[in-house]
Amino acid sequence: QDANLRPPFFFSLSHAAKMKASGTLHQYTVVGRHFPTKTTPNPALYKMQIFAPNEIVARSRYWYFMSRLHKVKKASGEIVSVSEVFEKHPTVIKNYGIWLRYDSRSGTHNMYREYRDLSAAAAVTAAYRDMGARHSTRARSIHIRRVDVIPAAKCRRASVKQFHDYSIRFPLPHRIVQSEKANLFVAKRPTTFFG
């Protein structure tokens, strides 16, 4: 679930740490390093973007990736900082492209998905729900590799492109008129179609 991870990383997803994508996911920036030693008094810092339900799970996922990518485990390293990332413009709709890797019953697959949402965390949450519904994929088997805002001209999926029409209209064929003076029980059923 690291937006900065780049292929290749060849560890198996079947023995992944059990992560539950409960509720809405949050985006965290986690920075950590190996403990200083005599040979390396100033070890390199490793920064990751983690999507997790809370800070505790974000720390756990950080060590999960660190142990496989940089051979640094929790016992021999430390987390320098954990900070939640908030959307700069949470009221503006955006197109998000999500590159992910997941483990199915038959093997490990790469995938690209697109979502329209207000924040990257909400788009990743939708991706987890979608993968669970369409592919029966467990949250622990999904690795988010990259999340980017995609301009409208570069979107590929029809489900996202259909909303790029500025003259789009949503018909309201049935409307219930709420009136303060309306009685709770009336002799005839209400008229909801004003075509």
Side-chain angles (χ1 to χ4, degrees), residues 177-186:
V177 179
Q178 298 288 344
S179 175
E180 296 178 0
K181 297 180 181 178
N183 295 325
L184 186 61
F185 300 102
V186 292

Side-chain angles (χ1 to χ4, degrees), residues 51-108:
F51 293 92
N54 53 54
E55 185 179 323
I56 296 169
V57 178
R59 288 170 173 265
S60 174
R61 296 298 283 176
Y62 177 81
W63 288 121
Y64 169 74
F65 289 115
M66 281 290 287
S67 63
R68 284 154 178 79
L69 293 171
H70 302 291
K71 304 300 179 187
V72 179
K73 59 183 182 178
K74 186 178 179 181
S76 59
E78 62 180 349
I79 290 179
V80 177
S81 70
V82 180
S83 59
E84 186 173 353
V85 179
F86 297 97
E87 192 67 33
K88 283 186 178 179
H89 305 286
T91 58
V92 178
I93 193 77
K94 293 169 281 291
N95 308 308
Y96 286 98
I98 299 176
W99 287 260
L100 59 89
R101 192 180 196 190
Y102 78 99
D103 207 13
S104 71
R105 296 182 183 92
S106 58
T108 305

Side-chain angles (χ1 to χ4, degrees), residues 21 61 117 191:
R61 296 298 283 176
D117 221 311
T191 303

Side-chain angles (χ1 to χ4, degrees), residues 21 25 96-100 102 111-117 119-135 137-139 142 144 146-147:
L25 299 180
Y96 286 98
I98 299 176
W99 287 260
L100 59 89
Y102 78 99
M111 188 177 286
Y112 168 76
R113 306 186 74 84
E114 283 181 359
Y115 296 93
R116 265 175 81 80
D117 221 311
S119 67
V124 171
T125 303
Y128 270 90
R129 302 290 177 264
D130 207 19
M131 290 297 294
R134 294 177 185 269
H135 302 280
T137 308
R138 303 288 183 267
I142 300 173
I144 303 297
R146 185 175 155 199
V147 178

